[in-house]
Amino acid sequence: MESEVIFRPKWHSAFRLFIFMMFCSFRVAKAEITCRSCQPGNKWRSQELLLKFDTSEYPTGLKREVYGDGAVRSAAAGAESRRLRCAAGSAECAPDIRVESAEQKLQRSAEKQDAGGSGGGGGESKFAKTKVSNVQTSGEQKTRAGTTRCRRSSDEDHGDVQSREPGEDARPAGGRRRVTRSDSRWRGAGPRQEEQKLNSSTFALTGDSSHNQAMVHWSGHNSSVILMLTKLFDFNLNSVTESSLWRSTDYGATYQKLNDKVGSKTILSYLYVSPNNKRKIMLLTDPEVESSLLISSDEGATYQKYRLSFYILSLLFHPEQEDWILAYSHDQKLYSSVEFGRRWQVVHERVAPNRFYWSKMGLDKEPGLIHLEASVSEGQALYVTCKLQNCTDANKGKPFPGYIDPNSLVVQDEYVFVQVSTAGRPIYYVSAKRDVFTPMKLPKYTLPKDLHVISTDENRVVAAVQEWNQNETYNLYVSDTSGVYYTLALENVVSSMGHEGNVMVDLYEVAGIKGMFLANKKTDNQVKTHITYNRGRDWSLLQAPSKDLKGNSIHCVLPYCSLHLHLHVSANPYTSGNIASRDTAPGIIVASGSIGSELTSSNVSVFVASDAGNTWRQIFNEEYALLYLDQGGALVAIRHTPLPIRHLWLSFDEGRQWNKYSFTNTPLFVDGVLGEPGEETLIMTIFGHVSHRSEWQLVKIDFRSIFNRRCTEADYQTWHLHNQGEPCLMGVKRIYRKLKPTSRCVMGKTYSVSMTSGPCDCTEADFECDYGYERRTNGKCTPAFWFHPSTMSRSCTTGMTFLNSTGYRKVVSNNCTAGVSVQYKAKREQCPIQAPKGLHLVTKEGTLTATLGTNITFLVFLEEGDGARTSITLDFGDGHALTYSNVSSIEDGIKHIYKAVGIYRVTATGENSLGSESATLYLHVTCQLEYIHLSAPFVAVRNKEVNLTAVLWPSQVGTVTYIWWIGNSTEQPVITLEGSVACTFPREGVSTVTVQVSAGNTILQDRKHIAVHEYFRSHLLAFSSNLDDHNPDVAEWRLDVSRVIKNALIQATGVGEDQLLVTLLPGLPTAAEFFLLPDKLLTEGKAEKSSARLDQLSEVLLSALNQNLVQFTLRPGVQVTVYAAHLSAATQRHSEREHRYNYVCLFLLGMLLLS
């Protein structure tokens, strides 16, 4: 059984109450786009409050509704089941059942009533703007907390409801009908009639008045058990501080508190249910207190507690194995359990959030296979497949040959999508039926900024693409069965931001009618609702109702005026926000909207269509929540109002006539409504409060008393599906069986939708334009200016045949036969003999760099030509080359390892008997730059040229750029590709030289200070051998020891401090050099005297050194003696020749020591 829930946000703003969609929900991929209502196709849904799944009787989609804003909310299960959650982070339509820790909840606030207030709840954090996100897969949904507010409405007894005769909707627009005595209109005036009452009972959850959140699960499947978890969530602490667990075994008439059974001090945070066995319940404790699971196998009657070593963020249940679960932890680890949470083991680390999926039977080789995205670095990830209980490196698969963009993996039905960005532009890849990945082919100049997968049902892909010139709208594209070739279906579809920051596209698939969609398109800054009956091949506006609620004629002529519908849940509490349809009631659509030239947020009314959108009737002129009852045999409406209410409305004739019923004696602030799974016992529970400080009031309503009998065959009629009189839709004529509007009976659980169909002859309308073709104003498909039809035969092999497109392809799932089929279908032709053309050579990573000593993989693609008879030769540019007999033999790439750093010219050549084609790339092979040293003189002669050299380690790292800042000027730096520069210093003093070396992503820097003088003397120094034992050869150590040596020289000789420089040279054995500088005060303007003075001081220093008078203590017990080195650098003179000779010697010595 399935249950329905209507979420009435902010019926009473004092109780900002969220109903947690307690479910084992499903997830999508990001991407992130959420569109509305695609038929999920055998999707598993959770069955807790607001959402429920029943795989046996409702194989397609959600059977409960959640409404998060103040617009009209139809309670049709199909409304949520058809809402396309197309975001990479949104998990409404994925192939598995995923539960997130941030769930939809019923929440109230104990603040004073404020009609304009709102309640909020958190949602999961979004992965990076996802590039590819999935939606509408088979059976996975993510739970979320929604922000709920409601629009203020008048007192509940002042609505305009018009009663109408059966069959009025079938009359032509603007036509007249005779008003009979049965045509009564209720407007809240007139004589008071006896009030009709529903059979109901009320139960108060005593002691829970402070609790502001609740999660509810109704098992269904002939079970009368309801579980309810109420919590006090402290928004300041961001945690649950109190909880109560309640259980009912009589459909909600009474409840028993189970706190003692789970532990009186245990604080519960979430309640999950196995989608395959509703008797298995899982409770999660609040991790701030303890991290544990409580498991029940008897519908919550008894529990066992199991400790957890990690904190669960989300759960993903297997779609078939009831005990198999994946859990995602706060530290990005993925865990698995095959015992329904009793034991866990780590599957993989560094897993991207929401990017893990169960295998799909019939496609994957093993039922226990897991698809996941593993993070490698900030901008790189890997697509990995793993065995459930044996995810070792040896057992891991890597279906995609290379890195992918983070948060881009989507596994949806038979398709897998990834994204790879190259040179700033994304390339989207698709794999169909787990085959090799192929780039998705959008029209050539689409140039997408953003792409999201909307749906993958019926063996084709629907994608929403935001093109380079779009900001707020998306274009819809549809693929062939391979998922590779795409054509335009509808332009400028309106988009909006969801509560979690995900993009939502206004596209809605109507339940029960294959191929029928509604979309809001923006044209000339006006949003208009369009409808299609053939999967987007043709779109048209909606015809507005012919009369309003008061029976007055509505003058609305197409295309200037039409009906427009709100197709999404709005973040604005004062705008409309939902639409509903369901599989069990084909043709019945309930939605909120407006009439006019465009969609507006004012003057919103509720409309219903009984004939699949051909004609519409206005049923309310204010906001109501609507619920399908008895599998669509009746409709329930509850007014949105901040005031307490005690009435609801019922219609037994598809919304033509409405009757008011009271469901309680005491007016109730309504927080939410829960319908029993499947609506088979006609039981509903309304949650609310009589005041803002009262306990939760649970009103159980039993609708069985208002039906006097079960339906018989005489109560049904046939209904022919059509599009404004055209009976052939999607290639067939479809005839449905539905309840007569005049029949007031219970269909019950034995009812099933029946439909007969007959084939139609194919017409041009059954075909859409093929890839590369565009529809002209005359309706014909002709090649786009950029498209060359011959390119479609590129996979041909000489002697074989291929299907040559006529420019048309049959709409997917269209079942027409004969007719013009021969004229439009592709023609089989012999593969032409072609020379190779369009050869492409790239690296697997899409980069032009490689690391020395590691494998680099080259990929070769051929656009045109006989690949089976075209040989490929790849010259790696380092003296090695390989030749392959054909293109198919190198699909996995060609690996090569380079042994030396450099820039290599890599060439691929394709050749057959008709010609050849070449492609070239230049590959930079590099290694990591670890260290640089700036070799420069410590003292230089003014206006004399000196050499500056940057020494690298290792010496060969690839392409290197040197940036030099020379002297103390603020001018632009000098950039060179060589590691040496020559320069002069025009002024005396201390000049600074800085060099930066850029190699790949590495930039290293060194700096030196050079003393510039007119004259100086220098000499090399040596040391006793014990100094080498303590030399770490680091710059800081050399600076400190140089200072110590200088002080020792001054102490031994009395040379002035300003006239002496000492520097320790890098390397071993340890060596140094001293410089004698002129005393400017004594020798200014007297060059000869200055030179003589420097010679005199030099002799004094050398004498002290030769007599072993210069010593210093390095550390206790280590006495070092300084000597004059036997290898002299010669006394420095003015001449350029002597200057150059001196520093060449110094440089060579330094290089020797460094080596």
Side-chain angles (χ1 to χ4, degrees):
M1 299 184 204
E2 299 270 324
S3 71
E4 272 185 317
V5 173
I6 297 180
F7 186 45
R8 271 175 112 175
K10 296 288 305 164
W11 294 64
H12 179 208
S13 55
F15 308 123
R16 300 173 185 170
L17 195 29
F18 295 115
I19 295 201
F20 272 70
M21 298 166 24
M22 197 338 276
F23 47 81
C24 309
S25 51
F26 323 76
R27 173 212 61 180
V28 181
K30 184 240 235 175
E32 259 348 327
I33 277 204
T34 305
C35 38
R36 322 281 162 217
S37 123
C38 262
Q39 185 158 346
N42 196 25
K43 299 187 173 30
W44 298 88
R45 298 301 190 213
S46 74
Q47 59 184 31
E48 288 64 45
L49 181 59
L50 309 188
L51 283 174
K52 172 92 174 134
F53 41 60
D54 178 354
T55 58
S56 61
E57 297 179 84
Y58 297 92
T60 58
L62 302 177
K63 302 307 174 192
R64 293 192 181 152
E65 292 67 44
V66 181
Y67 305 101
D69 62 57
V72 172
R73 309 290 187 252
S74 168
E80 284 298 324
S81 68
R82 305 298 173 259
R83 174 170 295 129
L84 287 182
R85 296 290 181 190
C86 322
S90 151
E92 306 273 326
C93 311
D96 312 297
I97 301 158
R98 185 180 306 272
V99 180
E100 287 288 342
S101 60
E103 298 193 317
Q104 288 275 23
K105 44 191 161 296
L106 186 64
Q107 172 177 308
R108 67 163 182 165
S109 165
E111 299 173 358
K112 292 185 178 180
Q113 177 177 349
D114 175 7
S118 66
E124 87 251 26
S125 59
K126 250 188 102 55
F127 39 69
K129 278 286 182 193
T130 184
K131 319 308 186 222
V132 179
S133 59
N134 68 323
V135 118
Q136 207 220 322
T137 44
S138 343
E140 170 181 318
Q141 176 175 16
K142 222 176 257 180
T143 63
R144 318 183 159 183
T147 300
T148 61
R149 299 179 65 185
C150 111
R151 175 175 180 174
R152 181 183 290 277
S153 129
S154 59
D155 182 87
E156 65 121 0
D157 286 334
H158 289 80
D160 288 336
V161 181
Q162 179 172 339
S163 172
R164 304 188 182 172
E165 282 193 338
E168 177 187 348
D169 63 318
R171 299 184 180 277
R176 296 185 179 182
R177 67 179 181 86
R178 185 175 180 182
V179 179
T180 65
R181 295 180 62 185
S182 63
D183 289 355
S184 61
R185 296 180 179 83
W186 186 88
R187 298 193 181 92
R192 182 178 182 86
Q193 301 178 0
E194 182 179 352
E195 183 176 73
Q196 300 182 85
K197 296 183 179 180
L198 293 170
N199 184 10
S200 65
S201 61
T202 303
F203 185 88
L205 300 184
T206 306
D208 285 359
S209 60
S210 64
H211 290 192
N212 53 8
Q213 293 180 353
M215 301 172 67
V216 183
H217 163 69
W218 194 336
S219 290
H221 294 281
N222 299 318
S223 172
S224 60
V225 174
I226 301 175
L227 287 174
M228 184 170 183
L229 172 63
T230 66
K231 302 179 291 182
L232 173 59
F233 186 86
D234 190 316
F235 290 93
N236 294 321
L237 299 176
N238 196 33
S239 64
V240 179
T241 57
E242 293 180 15
S243 67
S244 296
L245 183 64
W246 300 83
R247 185 173 186 263
S248 171
T249 58
D250 54 10
Y251 294 100
T254 59
Y255 288 82
Q256 177 188 3
K257 200 169 187 176
L258 301 182
N259 283 26
D260 291 339
K261 292 191 176 182
V262 299
S264 58
K265 296 183 179 180
T266 299
I267 299 178
L268 304 173
S269 57
Y270 296 99
L271 184 156
Y272 305 131
V273 183
S274 169
N276 304 294
N277 183 349
K278 308 303 170 57
R279 296 180 60 83
K280 292 190 174 182
I281 310 295
M282 180 182 294
L283 297 171
L284 184 63
T285 62
D286 185 69
E288 298 294 330
V289 180
E290 62 173 322
S291 188
S292 300
L293 284 177
L294 287 93
I295 296 174
S296 172
S297 299
D298 52 11
E299 287 190 287
T302 60
Y303 293 90
Q304 290 179 310
K305 181 180 284 190
Y306 297 87
R307 296 286 182 181
L308 289 174
S309 60
F310 61 97
Y311 171 33
I312 294 178
L313 288 182
S314 63
L315 296 177
L316 181 64
F317 289 83
H318 194 278
E320 297 171 359
Q321 299 291 334
E322 64 183 52
D323 291 334
W324 291 12
I325 309 173
L326 295 178
Y328 187 72
S329 70
H330 67 289
D331 54 356
Q332 294 187 311
K333 292 181 181 179
L334 186 65
Y335 293 80
S336 68
S337 174
V338 294
E339 301 177 56
F340 199 71
R342 291 173 176 83
R343 291 183 181 86
W344 297 90
Q345 68 179 35
V346 176
V347 175
H348 206 284
E349 296 183 353
R350 300 193 68 186
V351 177
N354 308 311
R355 301 295 174 175
F356 46 94
Y357 310 82
W358 285 111
S359 57
K360 187 175 180 64
M361 291 295 293
L363 290 174
D364 294 289
K365 297 178 181 179
E366 300 180 33
L369 199 67
I370 302 169
H371 302 263
L372 60 89
E373 178 185 309
S375 300
V376 176
S377 62
E378 183 177 350
Q380 292 180 321
L382 285 173
Y383 168 27
V384 176
T385 56
C386 231
K387 292 184 178 180
L388 175 62
Q389 291 185 294
N390 190 19
C391 189
T392 62
D393 289 338
N395 290 323
K396 288 180 185 177
K398 295 181 180 179
F400 185 79
Y403 295 115
I404 65 175
D405 289 353
N407 299 306
S408 69
L409 173 66
V410 173
V411 181
Q412 188 165 306
D413 294 327
E414 66 183 59
Y415 300 97
V416 181
F417 304 89
V418 296
Q419 173 184 314
V420 178
S421 293
T422 303
R425 292 181 59 179
I427 300 175
Y428 304 97
Y429 291 86
V430 62
S431 166
K433 298 181 179 179
R434 306 302 188 260
D435 206 345
V436 296
F437 280 88
T438 305
M440 296 167 62
K441 298 290 186 180
L442 293 162
K444 187 172 183 179
Y445 295 106
T446 300
L447 304 179
K449 295 191 298 185
D450 196 17
L451 182 148
H452 302 276
V453 176
I454 301 299
S455 69
T456 53
D457 64 336
E458 300 287 349
N459 298 318
R460 79 162 183 179
V461 179
V462 178
V465 178
Q466 188 170 68
E467 301 188 20
W468 62 274
N469 57 350
Q470 293 178 302
N471 293 317
E472 298 178 351
T473 59
Y474 282 73
N475 291 346
L476 294 180
Y477 287 87
V478 295
S479 78
D480 61 351
T481 55
S482 71
V484 174
Y485 299 101
Y486 291 79
T487 58
L488 181 65
L490 186 64
E491 292 183 293
N492 295 319
V493 179
V494 174
S495 68
S496 61
M497 272 304 180
H499 293 301
E500 293 85 23
N502 56 310
V503 178
M504 303 178 70
V505 172
D506 275 12
L507 175 69
Y508 181 86
E509 182 175 3
V510 178
I513 307 294
K514 185 176 71 172
M516 182 177 173
F517 289 83
L518 291 162
N520 282 330
K521 176 181 177 180
K522 194 171 188 178
T523 306
D524 297 328
N525 291 322
Q526 290 185 326
V527 177
K528 301 174 182 287
T529 301
H530 292 69
I531 189 171
T532 179
Y533 293 89
N534 54 8
R535 289 193 169 273
R537 162 62 170 80
D538 300 292
W539 296 85
S540 59
L541 296 170
L542 298 179
Q543 177 65 60
S546 59
K547 295 182 181 296
D548 62 14
L549 277 177
K550 298 179 181 179
N552 300 320
S553 296
I554 298 176
H555 182 70
C556 186
V557 180
L558 294 174
Y560 310 103
C561 174
S562 59
L563 174 63
H564 310 286
L565 304 177
H566 291 277
L567 304 180
H568 68 286
V569 176
S570 172
N572 188 330
Y574 298 104
T575 60
S576 299
N578 219 331
I579 180 170
S581 59
R582 71 181 316 161
D583 293 318
T584 55
I588 302 178
I589 310 169
V590 183
S592 59
S594 59
I595 298 173
S597 60
E598 63 177 325
L599 180 66
T600 65
S601 298
S602 59
N603 300 319
V604 174
S605 299
V606 186
F607 301 89
V608 65
S610 302
D611 54 2
N614 283 277
T615 58
W616 295 81
R617 300 185 303 278
Q618 184 180 8
I619 56 175
F620 296 107
N621 60 7
E622 294 179 275
E623 295 179 302
Y624 276 76
L626 279 92
L627 178 75
Y628 283 76
L629 196 64
D630 188 28
Q631 305 191 66
L635 296 175
V636 179
I638 305 177
R639 182 187 297 273
H640 282 289
T641 173
L643 302 175
I645 61 173
R646 51 186 294 268
H647 295 100
L648 53 76
W649 295 83
L650 275 170
S651 174
F652 304 97
D653 55 4
E654 299 174 349
R656 294 176 175 84
Q657 206 169 22
W658 293 88
N659 302 303
K660 185 172 73 170
Y661 292 84
S662 66
F663 63 86
T664 179
N665 293 324
T666 304
L668 196 68
F669 292 102
V670 177
D671 301 312
V673 183
L674 172 66
E676 190 244 350
E679 306 84 31
E680 292 159 355
T681 58
L682 300 174
I683 294 175
M684 175 192 298
T685 298
I686 294 180
F687 300 83
H689 302 79
V690 295
S691 71
H692 70 278
R693 294 189 180 278
S694 69
E695 291 88 358
W696 294 73
Q697 304 291 318
L698 277 59
V699 181
K700 171 192 170 184
I701 303 174
D702 192 337
F703 289 96
R704 288 176 296 184
S705 61
I706 63 175
F707 295 94
N708 52 22
R709 62 184 178 86
R710 282 206 171 265
C711 297
T712 64
E713 194 60 36
D715 292 305
Y716 296 94
Q717 64 181 7
T718 57
W719 169 64
H720 296 251
L721 176 66
H722 65 94
N723 174 14
Q724 302 301 326
E726 171 54 55
C728 286
L729 300 176
M730 296 295 290
V732 294
K733 296 177 181 178
R734 281 173 276 180
I735 303 174
Y736 293 87
R737 187 185 73 152
K738 64 187 300 186
L739 197 65
K740 294 178 180 178
T742 55
S743 297
R744 184 167 172 176
C745 55
V746 176
M747 291 189 291
K749 28 178 112 169
T750 59
Y751 170 76
S752 63
V753 176
S754 63
M755 186 265 292
T756 58
S757 62
C760 294
D761 288 341
C762 291
T763 66
E764 191 268 344
D766 295 309
F767 293 83
E768 62 189 4
C769 292
D770 205 348
Y771 172 76
Y773 292 81
E774 298 174 339
R775 191 173 300 280
R776 305 302 178 185
T777 54
N778 61 2
K780 302 298 183 182
C781 295
T782 59
F785 74 93
W786 50 266
F787 181 68
H788 304 286
S790 63
T791 61
M792 296 302 293
S793 62
R794 61 189 171 280
S795 59
C796 262
T797 300
T798 303
M800 305 297 288
T801 61
F802 77 104
L803 290 174
N804 191 12
S805 175
T806 61
Y808 298 84
R809 66 188 185 196
K810 185 185 286 188
V811 175
V812 174
S813 301
N814 188 297
N815 296 316
C816 70
T817 58
V820 299
S821 179
V822 175
Q823 176 183 347
Y824 286 100
K825 72 178 183 180
K827 306 293 191 289
R828 185 163 294 281
E829 299 178 4
Q830 287 290 323
C831 290
I833 302 176
Q834 302 181 77
K837 184 178 180 181
L839 191 67
H840 297 276
L841 173 63
V842 297
T843 61
K844 182 180 70 172
E845 292 78 12
T847 63
L848 295 176
T849 62
T851 302
L852 182 68
T854 61
N855 260 319
I856 178 72
T857 302
F858 297 95
L859 303 177
V860 181
F861 303 100
L862 182 64
E863 284 191 5
E864 297 182 47
D866 187 349
R869 286 177 168 80
T870 300
S871 65
I872 299 295
T873 299
L874 188 61
D875 187 338
F876 299 105
D878 62 350
H880 296 85
L882 293 173
T883 299
Y884 296 85
S885 59
N886 54 60
V887 176
S888 60
S889 61
I890 55 173
E891 287 181 347
D892 294 332
I894 304 169
K895 292 181 170 57
H896 186 65
I897 297 177
Y898 286 91
K899 301 295 180 63
V901 168
I903 302 176
Y904 295 89
R905 185 178 189 269
V906 186
T907 304
T909 303
E911 186 175 8
N912 62 22
S913 59
L914 295 180
S916 63
E917 175 91 349
S918 295
T920 301
L921 67 79
Y922 294 92
L923 184 71
H924 293 244
V925 177
T926 64
C927 64
Q928 180 68 33
L929 177 62
E930 298 178 6
Y931 172 80
I932 70 168
H933 168 70
L934 175 57
S935 177
F938 301 99
V939 182
V941 176
R942 183 175 67 88
N943 289 326
K944 300 298 181 180
E945 189 175 82
V946 297
N947 286 322
L948 307 174
T949 302
V951 181
L952 312 184
W953 181 261
S955 59
Q956 296 294 324
V957 294
T959 304
V960 176
T961 303
Y962 301 85
I963 305 101
W964 305 84
W965 286 267
I966 300 173
N968 300 323
S969 67
T970 58
E971 297 179 0
Q972 292 295 320
V974 177
I975 300 176
T976 69
L977 297 178
E978 298 293 335
S980 295
V981 295
C983 64
T984 59
F985 298 95
R987 291 185 296 272
E988 291 188 88
V990 178
S991 293
T992 301
V993 177
T994 302
V995 62
Q996 288 185 345
V997 180
S998 174
N1001 295 325
T1002 303
I1003 297 179
L1004 298 181
Q1005 174 179 298
D1006 196 11
R1007 176 181 289 121
K1008 288 292 186 294
H1009 300 287
I1010 301 176
V1012 180
H1013 292 278
E1014 197 73 35
Y1015 312 98
F1016 66 88
R1017 301 290 184 270
S1018 66
H1019 201 92
L1020 291 177
L1021 301 175
F1023 304 91
S1024 53
S1025 60
N1026 58 348
L1027 182 59
D1028 291 344
D1029 298 333
H1030 302 278
N1031 184 353
D1033 198 21
V1034 296
E1036 292 82 1
W1037 186 86
R1038 291 194 291 269
L1039 287 174
D1040 289 336
V1041 174
S1042 296
R1043 187 176 62 254
V1044 172
I1045 297 170
K1046 178 179 177 179
N1047 292 334
L1049 285 170
I1050 293 173
Q1051 185 177 1
T1053 62
V1055 175
E1057 182 177 353
D1058 294 338
Q1059 288 186 264
L1060 184 63
L1061 283 180
V1062 176
T1063 182
L1064 209 65
L1065 301 176
L1068 293 173
T1070 308
E1073 185 176 10
F1074 74 79
F1075 299 88
L1076 278 172
L1077 308 178
D1079 188 341
K1080 291 296 184 181
L1081 297 178
L1082 298 177
T1083 61
E1084 186 172 357
K1086 301 175 182 179
E1088 294 182 0
K1089 186 176 181 179
S1090 175
S1091 178
R1093 176 60 179 167
L1094 290 180
D1095 289 338
Q1096 181 182 355
L1097 290 177
S1098 180
E1099 292 298 329
V1100 172
L1101 286 171
L1102 292 174
S1103 176
L1105 291 168
N1106 291 331
Q1107 297 178 51
N1108 296 336
L1109 299 179
V1110 183
Q1111 297 182 347
F1112 64 91
T1113 301
L1114 184 66
R1115 60 194 308 175
V1118 180
Q1119 190 75 12
V1120 179
T1121 302
V1122 184
Y1123 307 99
H1126 295 294
L1127 177 61
S1128 174
T1131 303
Q1132 187 68 285
R1133 302 294 182 186
H1134 316 297
S1135 71
E1136 183 178 350
R1137 178 180 178 184
E1138 290 176 326
H1139 170 73
R1140 287 180 179 271
Y1141 173 77
N1142 192 2
Y1143 280 94
V1144 167
C1145 291
L1146 287 175
F1147 174 71
L1148 293 176
L1149 176 61
M1151 290 293 292
L1152 178 62
L1153 294 176
L1154 181 62
S1155 300

